């Protein structure tokens, strides 16, 4: 058994002091030396030493000391040492300390009295405490509150001992009298706590007698009152009406701790709308009044719980919750936005969007470092609002388009994706969005933002003026052609250098043509070729360089997007422009731009040449402009938009399915009791109690009180630990709850003998930690014993619990050991399916450093079937749209995501291909921030992917 002790100090026993040295220091008259010697003795005892030879020395030389520090250390020493023998009887020498304790309890110094009373709270030996009871009771009337409050705690601890009620028969009555007359808040709290734990009826009577004065009591006493109310209402729900009034009166307490506990108690006891509204109001007030970020996060968690169970009440509190955005902490802001976005209704959407717009404008000040990240969160929130309620899009889209050139690339990407979605879902805004986009396009500096903006220009510039403006804008952002200057003499320069190295020929004197920067030709003497430099990039002007500067960094994917956009604009120009001359002119300019990009990609002025995909795409655009068919025109001008519309509809469908999945599926049993609310007697019931009755009836009708227990799932968690032929049979029921694992082990003695000192010894491997030490039990013949073991979990990693059962029997001198089967704690108990955006998935995939690559090895031959099997086996959520997984094409790629109870993210990418023989091949890549989850998930997938159970 663990020893109880109030002192935990690290002590290095590398060079422990000898007992003789400590003894000499204790026998001396030097007070500081005695104090140091007592400290050493206490720390050695805490580290497992016994030091029996010091007891008499301490009794003789330390006990009589008047120094308060020495007396305090003496009490710690007496708390640690063994006070009983192996049979549980008090050691005879312990009688020597009783007189000293009695003297301390009668000492004129208040500190010694209080410290001794505190020591008695941790004493379990009745033989030592019994002679001290009169002195303890006398201290209840001491003039100093420090002594009185510790005397009350001592009375409570003595009363709770196995035979304490016999030692202190009238203790509850005396403590009740003390409670009535006591003025000190701490002593009053301790007295009420004693009645609460030892004589609950007296505590209830006192509370109901002074119900009008509860709001005037101290904070400490009010907290104990709330504990009492929670306990009483759990055991007797019919009584909660009389206590809820007390809770509501305490909601106005000046103490933040009391109001927080009141709100939590109110929510746990009542589901009436007025009670929930009062609790939500309290939480919102705490959110504004408390400056500690941790407190704000805890309060937001409580509000989130209220949102899940009482959404209709929380909708009215949305603006109060939004005030938490004034905090500079990003975690608080993120949680606040998550709560608010699920409470939006047509009634409050305008107010919410107006507040979010004001916050976006504030981020432009640049005073805080993380303004860019906060702006991104706000843009995503506004995006979500505009998707749910398209009518508000017109009020925000133009404001957000100012941030297309934001230095925070992620924020700018969110804006352009938002604009792309709004321009499709809100046709009335198309003209204004296109005009604004063309005006602000030159401000964009990020390649991904440019690509998306160019796609919007290519798809939604429909009128003649818009198409012409789009072409002009792209030309201006590309700057003057060509992108670099080339001189043919540079080749001659290279050859001349080779010639000089070989010392074989002299410099040529012929004249050759050269292409200048403006595209004209000139001649130059080869004799002066060494003065020429190799091909150089021609930079555009500062005002027209965003597309040009990105192309000159080697981003040819953007070049391919530019070519596709120009192609779409030219094709649309052919439909809206009656003048063939203008169309031919625009086509020629577009072809010149595309050819220039190909020349740039094939030149040596950039470190990397153009990739094949981009080259093929640009060449395709050139061929298309030279010879256009109707079918191809239809594909380019219509099919792209149709695909985008399908993508949006798929996204909307998935969001709807997720909302339905979150909704609670509830039902009531056919034989449930029907309680007719209107036929009930309402006499003596408050309005709150009436509301509570209605809410309880509604919950019962919708089946919220019905819990579906899966017995098969329970049985699957029972693990056999020993064999049927072992003398001791053991099996364990494993319960995993977030950070705790509880093993409920049933041990059966299958022999005809009594087993003594039976002990369940466990050990762990991985991030698991045993909470308590094993105890010894005595097991009668053919009897059983339930043993519980608690284990703490600190990370998402597959752990192993192993051990053995050790016992002694009468006919065997040595201890018998039965080895137990290992218990493997499954990672699936820690992770649950979760959802994140594609951008967030990509960001995490790039950031996470741990990757586990598992080769596909399965008998399953259907790609979709294998994906479903992996999803089921790993308890993850597929983020890839169902439409992308439908058709049979011989290969499949999908992203899976899950989150652990510890807040860790698990990312999985599945890439498989069907071979000619029908088998699947490919890889499953797992990424996470920690090594444990990557390895554990990999092991799980390796085990399960063959298609087994």
């Amino acid at each position: 058994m663990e020893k109880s002790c109030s002192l935990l100090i690290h002590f290095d026993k590398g060079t422990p002091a000898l007992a003789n040295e400590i003894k000499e220091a204790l026998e001396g008259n030097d007070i500081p030396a005695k104090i140091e010697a007592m400290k050493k003795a206490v720390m050695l005892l805490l580290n497992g030493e016994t030091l029996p030879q010091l007891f008499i020395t301490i009794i003789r030389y330390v006990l009589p000391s008047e120094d308060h520090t020495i007396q305090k250390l003496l009490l710690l020493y007496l708390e640690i040492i063994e006070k009983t023998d192996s049979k549980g009887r008090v050691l005879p020498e312990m009688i020597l300390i009783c007189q000293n304790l009695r003297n301390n309890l009668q000492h004129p110094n208040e500190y010694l009295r209080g410290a001794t009373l505190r020591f008695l709270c941790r004493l379990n030996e009745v033989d030592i405490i019994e002679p001290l009871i009169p002195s303890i009771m006398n201290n209840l009337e001491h003039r100093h509150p420090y002594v009185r409050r510790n005397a009350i705690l001592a009375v409570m601890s003595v009363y709770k001992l196995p035979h304490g009620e016999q030692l202190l028969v009238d203790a509850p009555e005396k403590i009740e009298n003390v409670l009535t007359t006591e003025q000190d808040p701490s002593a009053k709290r301790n007295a009420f706590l004693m009645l609460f734990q030892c004589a609950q009826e007296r505590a209830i009577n006192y509370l109901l007698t002074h119900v009008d004065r509860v709001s005037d009591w101290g904070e400490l006493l009010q907290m104990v009152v709330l504990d009492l109310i929670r306990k009483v209402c759990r055991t007797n729900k019919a009584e909660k009406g009389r206590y809820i009034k007390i809770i509501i009166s305490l909601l106005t307490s000046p103490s933040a701790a009391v109001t927080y506990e009141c709100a939590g108690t109110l929510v746990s006891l009542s589901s009436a709308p007025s009670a929930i509204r009062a609790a939500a109001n309290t939480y919102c007030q705490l959110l504004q009044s408390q400056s500690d970020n941790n407190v704000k996060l805890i309060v937001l968690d409580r509000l989130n719980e209220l949102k899940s169970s009482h959404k209709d009440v929380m909708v009215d509190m949305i603006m109060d919750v939004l005030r938490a955005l004034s905090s500079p902490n990003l975690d608080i802001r993120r949680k606040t936005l998550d709560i608010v976005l699920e409470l939006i209704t047509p009634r409050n959407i305008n107010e919410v969007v107006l507040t979010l717009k004001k916050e976006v404008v504030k981020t432009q000040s640049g005073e805080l470092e993380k303004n860019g990240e906060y702006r991104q969160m706000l843009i995503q929130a506004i995006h979500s609002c505009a998707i749910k309620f398209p009518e508000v899009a017109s009020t925000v889209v133009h404001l957000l388009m100012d941030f297309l050139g934001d230095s925070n690339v992620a924020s700018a990407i969110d804006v352009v994706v938002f604009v792309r979605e709004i321009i499709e879902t809100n046709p009335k805004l198309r003209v204004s969005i296109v005009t604004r986009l063309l005006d602000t396009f030159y401000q964009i500096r990020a390649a991904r933002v440019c690509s998306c903006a160019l796609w919007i220009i290519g798809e939604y510039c429909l009128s003649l003026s818009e198409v012409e403006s789009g072409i002009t804008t792209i030309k201006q952002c590309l700057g003057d052609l060509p992108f670099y200057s080339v001189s043919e003499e540079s080749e001659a320069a290279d050859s001349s250098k080779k010639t000089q190295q070989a010392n074989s020929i002299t410099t040529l004197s012929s004249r050759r043509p050269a292409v200048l920067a403006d595209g004209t030709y000139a001649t130059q003497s080869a004799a002066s070729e060494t003065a020429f430099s190799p091909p150089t990039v021609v930079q555009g002007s500062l005002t027209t360089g965003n597309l040009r500067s990105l192309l000159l960094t080697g981003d040819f994917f953007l070049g391919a997007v530019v070519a596709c956009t120009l192609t779409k604009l030219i094709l649309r120009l052919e439909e809206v422009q009656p003048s063939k001359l203008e169309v031919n002119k625009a086509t020629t300019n577009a072809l010149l731009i595309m050819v220039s990009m190909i020349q740039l990609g094939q030149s040596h002025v950039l470190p990397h040449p153009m990739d094949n995909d981009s080259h093929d795409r640009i060449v395709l655009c050139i061929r298309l402009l030279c010879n256009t068919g109707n079918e191809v025109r239809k594909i380019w001008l219509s099919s792209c938009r149709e695909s985008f519309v399908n993508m949006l509809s798929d996204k909307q469908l998935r969001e709807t399915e997720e909302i339905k999945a979150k909704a609670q599926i509830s039902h009531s049993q056919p034989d449930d009791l029907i309680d007719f609310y209107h036929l009930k007697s309402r006499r003596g019931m408050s309005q709150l109690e009436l509301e509570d009755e209605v809410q309880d009836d509604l919950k019962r009708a919708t089946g919220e009180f019905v819990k579906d227990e899966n017995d098969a799932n329970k049985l699957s968690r029972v693990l056999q630990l020993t064999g049927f032929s072992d003398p001791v049979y053991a099996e364990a029921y494993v319960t995993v709850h977030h950070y705790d694992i509880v093993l409920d082990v049933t041990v059966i003695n299958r022999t005809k003998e009594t087993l003594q000192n039976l002990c369940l010894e466990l050990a762990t491997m991985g991030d698991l930690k045993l909470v308590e030490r094993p105890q010894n039990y005595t097991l009668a013949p053919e009897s059983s014993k339930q043993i519980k073991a608690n284990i703490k979990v600190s990370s998402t990693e597959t752990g192993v619990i192993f051990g053995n059962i050790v016992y002694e029997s009468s006919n065997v001198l040595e201890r018998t050991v039965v080895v137990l089967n290992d218990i493997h704690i499954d990672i699936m108990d820690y992770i649950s399916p979760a959802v994140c955006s594609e951008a967030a998935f990509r960001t995490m995939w790039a950031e996470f450093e741990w990757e586990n690559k598992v080769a596909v090895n399965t008998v399953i031959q259907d790609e979709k079937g294998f994906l479903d099997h992996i999803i089921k086996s790993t308890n993850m959520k597929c983020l890839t749209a169902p439409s992308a997984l439908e058709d049979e094409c011989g290969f499949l790629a999908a992203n899976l995501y899950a989150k652990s109870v510890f807040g860790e993210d698990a990312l999985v990418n599945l890439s498989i291909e069907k071979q000619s023989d029908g088998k699947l091949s490919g890889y499953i890549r797992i990424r996470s921030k920690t090594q444990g989850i990557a390895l554990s998930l990999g092991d799980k997938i390796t085990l399960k992917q063959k298609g087994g159970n």
Side-chain angles (χ1 to χ4, degrees), residues 610-622:
M610 179 183 289
D611 58 284
N612 293 332
D613 290 338
S614 299
H615 179 270
D616 293 345
R617 189 70 169 166
I618 296 173
V619 169
L620 175 64
C621 292
I622 294 172

Side-chain angles (χ1 to χ4, degrees), residues 533-735:
S533 60
T536 56
V537 170
V538 179
Q539 299 290 346
S541 64
L542 294 175
T543 57
T544 61
N546 62 336
L547 284 181
R548 188 186 191 91
S549 59
L550 290 169
L551 279 175
L552 294 179
T553 58
D555 191 345
F556 290 108
F557 174 78
L558 179 61
V561 175
V562 170
C564 291
T565 304
L566 286 172
T567 303
K568 290 179 184 178
L569 292 174
I570 298 299
L571 292 178
R572 195 160 281 120
L573 185 65
E574 292 176 2
E575 294 180 350
V576 298
Q577 173 61 268
S579 173
K580 294 294 181 182
L581 182 63
E582 293 296 327
V583 174
N584 292 337
K585 184 179 177 183
T587 305
T588 305
N589 287 331
L591 289 170
L592 180 61
I593 290 170
M594 296 177 198
V595 171
S596 298
M597 286 192 292
I598 291 178
Q599 285 182 340
L600 176 65
Q602 292 176 344
S603 70
H604 300 288
V605 295
L606 297 179
H608 302 289
M610 179 183 289
D611 58 284
N612 293 332
D613 290 338
S614 299
H615 179 270
D616 293 345
R617 189 70 169 166
I618 296 173
V619 169
L620 175 64
C621 292
I622 294 172
R623 288 177 178 170
L624 187 60
L625 289 180
C626 295
N627 185 13
T628 309
N630 290 331
E631 288 299 322
V632 176
R633 182 187 299 275
K634 182 181 177 183
I635 291 171
W636 278 73
L637 296 183
S638 303
S639 299
C640 290
R641 177 95 64 88
E642 290 171 4
S643 298
F644 179 58
V645 171
N646 291 336
M647 187 193 82
L648 290 181
S649 60
D650 282 350
K651 181 182 175 185
Q652 188 69 30
L653 182 63
R654 272 188 294 161
E655 289 175 354
T656 307
E657 288 175 353
E658 286 168 13
I659 292 170
K660 287 181 180 177
K662 286 181 181 178
Q664 187 179 15
I665 300 171
S666 53
H667 51 82
S668 57
Q669 298 300 320
D671 58 345
D672 281 353
L673 179 68
I674 300 175
D675 205 348
F676 291 97
Y677 161 68
H678 292 287
L679 300 181
K680 278 188 175 181
S681 171
R682 305 187 186 184
R683 187 176 299 169
M685 295 179 71
S686 65
Q687 182 62 32
L688 189 65
E689 289 176 88
L690 292 173
E691 289 181 19
D692 222 11
E693 289 288 339
V694 175
Q695 291 299 316
D696 286 350
D697 290 345
L698 286 173
K699 285 184 177 180
R700 201 171 282 109
T702 56
E704 193 169 324
F705 290 151
V706 180
K707 292 184 179 178
D708 185 20
E709 295 290 345
N710 191 341
D711 294 331
N713 188 37
K714 275 188 168 185
L715 288 173
S716 69
R717 293 181 174 274
V718 177
L719 304 173
Q720 183 179 338
L721 300 181
T722 62
F724 292 113
S725 60
D726 287 321
V728 174
Y729 175 76
E731 64 181 23
Y733 175 67
V734 184
T735 306

Side-chain angles (χ1 to χ4, degrees), residues 110-366:
E110 295 88 358
Y111 172 75
L112 275 182
R113 284 198 185 205
T116 306
L117 287 165
R118 195 81 176 169
F119 162 72
L120 293 177
C121 293
R122 296 185 288 273
L123 212 58
N124 299 321
E125 288 72 26
V126 176
D127 294 341
I128 299 175
I129 291 174
E130 189 173 2
L132 306 175
I133 285 177
S135 301
I136 295 173
M137 300 304 288
N138 290 336
N139 279 305
L140 290 173
E141 300 173 359
H142 193 272
R143 59 181 176 78
H144 202 284
Y146 175 71
V147 177
R148 293 199 302 273
R149 73 176 73 126
N150 283 301
I152 294 168
L153 290 177
V155 169
M156 180 173 69
S157 63
V158 172
Y159 193 81
K160 289 165 74 175
L161 288 175
H163 303 288
E165 295 181 19
Q166 299 172 9
L167 297 175
L168 293 170
V169 179
D170 57 346
E173 184 181 349
K174 287 193 175 183
I175 295 298
E176 190 173 7
N177 295 334
V178 169
L179 181 60
T180 308
T181 58
E182 184 58 65
Q183 299 300 319
D184 180 66
S186 296
K188 201 163 187 174
R189 175 257 181 197
N190 289 352
F192 191 83
L193 181 65
M194 189 271 174
L195 292 180
F196 167 35
Q197 295 192 357
C198 303
Q200 189 171 303
E201 285 302 320
R202 288 180 182 270
I204 293 171
N205 291 335
Y206 179 81
L207 175 61
L208 296 178
T209 307
H210 301 84
V211 68
D212 297 331
R213 287 187 248 165
V214 173
S215 56
D216 300 327
W217 290 352
E219 174 188 349
L220 297 173
L221 184 54
Q222 288 175 345
M223 296 289 278
V224 181
V225 166
L226 290 172
D227 286 340
L228 173 66
I229 291 173
R230 277 196 292 267
K231 185 176 180 182
V232 171
C233 291
R234 283 196 194 103
T235 54
N236 188 4
K237 292 184 178 180
E239 294 287 321
K240 67 181 178 181
R242 59 204 295 200
Y243 295 107
I244 285 178
K245 298 173 185 176
I246 301 174
I247 298 172
I248 291 176
S249 69
L250 289 177
L251 284 175
T252 56
S253 170
S255 166
V258 172
T259 55
Y260 174 79
E261 288 295 328
C262 273
T265 306
L266 198 57
V267 171
S268 65
L269 297 183
S270 173
S271 55
S274 54
I276 301 302
R277 195 172 291 108
N281 269 321
T282 303
Y283 285 139
C284 290
Q285 289 169 10
L286 289 172
L287 205 56
Q288 295 303 310
S289 60
Q290 299 302 305
S291 57
D292 190 331
N293 288 339
N294 292 320
V295 174
K296 287 179 183 282
L297 288 169
I298 292 169
V299 171
L300 285 170
D301 284 338
R302 301 291 83 76
L303 286 170
N304 193 35
E305 291 170 5
L306 282 183
K307 177 209 68 183
S308 303
S309 53
H310 304 280
K311 188 173 181 179
D312 52 339
V313 176
M314 284 298 297
V315 164
D316 299 330
M317 312 295 300
I318 190 168
M319 297 310 295
D320 295 318
V321 177
L322 265 177
R323 292 195 183 98
L325 291 177
S326 58
S327 170
N329 185 278
L330 281 181
D331 292 327
I332 293 173
R333 287 170 162 173
R334 187 177 291 108
K335 276 196 175 184
T336 302
L337 290 173
D338 289 343
I339 293 171
V340 166
L341 289 178
E342 294 189 33
L343 297 176
I344 295 173
T345 63
R347 286 185 301 149
N348 57 33
I349 181 64
N350 291 324
E351 287 181 289
V352 172
V353 169
L354 184 62
T355 304
L356 296 178
K357 280 172 64 179
K358 289 178 180 177
E359 291 295 318
V360 170
V361 173
K362 286 180 187 176
T363 61
Q364 291 178 288
S365 61

Side-chain angles (χ1 to χ4, degrees), residues 480-496:
D480 298 330
L481 299 178
F483 294 109
Y484 70 102
S485 63
V486 181
S487 174
E488 290 290 336
E489 281 80 4
S490 61
E491 297 176 8
D494 291 337
S495 63
S496 69

Side-chain angles (χ1 to χ4, degrees), residues 805-851:
I805 293 177
V806 183
Y807 63 89
E808 297 173 354
S809 57
S810 56
N811 61 348
V812 179
L813 298 178
E814 295 182 358
R815 303 191 78 188
T816 306
V817 179
V818 178
V819 179
L820 305 178
N821 289 333
D822 294 346
I823 301 174
H824 293 267
I825 303 302
D826 196 349
I827 186 177
M828 294 302 104
D829 293 320
Y830 304 138
I831 67 173
S832 56
V835 179
C836 71
S837 65
E838 183 184 353
F841 186 93
R842 290 178 182 276
T843 303
M844 289 188 287
W845 187 268
E847 289 176 354
F848 289 173
E849 56 186 12
W850 290 102
E851 177 175 306

